[in-house]
């Protein structure tokens, strides 16, 4: 069940949506520990310790391979890749590695995790006014009960 909270857009720079009501998804964060317990309790033959070990190694190996310039495909989940942010240069000769400003992680989602499939499988419910909100708390508006 995906829960949401309504908010009113109070950003005057968006006249077509100004003062209209929208919704943002709310999230209850699941910690790594809770995720491991969930997996172990999900008719899994592996212990929490085994799952923890595999996931920690997966995380370490994924990072290592990404930093080697490789992309990593996780079956139905998707493909992880490193992207770079650069500043522009007037000529190709002017461009060096010093022109790279940063990196980011790209995830190209597999079929089961694409927005259309998730939307088709999702159910929605308005969140209780006291429900936790993990994320933007209405930067462009106010969260309404």
């Amino acid at each position: 069940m995906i829960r949401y909270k309504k908010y009113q857009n109070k950003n005057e720079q968006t006249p077509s949506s100004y003062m209209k009501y929208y919704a943002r998804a709310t999230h209850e964060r699941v910690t790594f520990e809770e995720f491991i317990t969930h997996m172990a309790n999900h008719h899994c033959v592996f212990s929490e310790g085994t799952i923890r070990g595999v996931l920690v190694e997966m995380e370490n190996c994924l990072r290592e391979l990404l930093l080697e310039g490789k992309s990593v495909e996780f079956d139905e989940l998707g493909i992880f890749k490193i992207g770079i942010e650069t500043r522009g240069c007037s000529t190709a000769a002017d461009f060096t590695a010093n022109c790279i400003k940063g990196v980011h992680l790209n995830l190209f989602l597999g079929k089961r995790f694409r927005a259309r499939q998730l939307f088709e499988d999702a159910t929605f419910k308005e969140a209780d006014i006291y429900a936790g909100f993990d994320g933007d708390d209405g930067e462009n508006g106010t969260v309404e009960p």
Side-chain angles (χ1 to χ4, degrees), residues 59-78:
E59 182 181 88
N60 292 336
C61 290
L62 175 61
R63 187 175 195 282
E64 177 184 337
L65 291 169
L66 291 171
L67 290 173
E68 289 176 3
K70 297 180 172 141
S71 65
V72 180
E73 181 178 350
F74 275 85
D75 198 24
E76 298 268 341
L77 178 60

Side-chain angles (χ1 to χ4, degrees), residues 87-101:
R87 65 177 174 84
C89 294
S90 299
T91 67
D94 290 341
F95 191 91
T96 66
N98 291 332
C99 299
I100 298 172
K101 301 187 312 183

Side-chain angles (χ1 to χ4, degrees), residues 6-145:
K6 294 182 273 187
Y7 74 96
Q8 187 176 28
N9 179 8
K10 295 189 177 180
N11 183 350
E12 294 178 10
Q13 295 178 344
T14 55
S16 64
S17 59
Y18 179 63
M19 299 304 284
K20 289 185 180 176
Y21 283 86
Y22 296 89
R24 287 191 178 96
T26 64
H27 305 93
E28 180 181 342
R29 185 164 301 187
V30 175
T31 67
F32 187 63
E33 300 297 323
E34 292 167 332
F35 183 69
I36 289 169
T37 301
H38 176 83
M39 284 184 68
N41 292 329
H42 224 267
H43 308 292
C44 183
V45 298
F46 301 108
S47 69
E48 288 184 26
T50 300
I51 294 168
R52 170 189 301 288
V54 168
L55 290 177
V56 167
E57 284 305 310
M58 181 206 78
E59 182 181 88
N60 292 336
C61 290
L62 175 61
R63 187 175 195 282
E64 177 184 337
L65 291 169
L66 291 171
L67 290 173
E68 289 176 3
K70 297 180 172 141
S71 65
V72 180
E73 181 178 350
F74 275 85
D75 198 24
E76 298 268 341
L77 178 60
I79 301 170
F80 291 82
K81 294 181 179 185
I82 290 285
I84 59 175
E85 298 171 32
T86 66
R87 65 177 174 84
C89 294
S90 299
T91 67
D94 290 341
F95 191 91
T96 66
N98 291 332
C99 299
I100 298 172
K101 301 187 312 183
V103 299
H104 54 269
L105 180 64
N106 293 323
L107 172 58
F108 298 93
L109 296 172
K111 187 175 184 177
R112 290 185 61 217
F113 291 91
R114 290 187 187 140
R116 176 184 290 278
Q117 187 65 50
L118 291 171
F119 180 70
E120 288 175 4
D121 295 341
T123 57
F124 300 92
K125 179 182 179 184
E126 187 171 355
D128 180 61
I129 187 171
Y130 300 108
F133 192 81
D134 181 14
D136 181 18
D137 197 17
E139 181 180 312
N140 294 322
T142 58
V143 175
E144 297 290 327

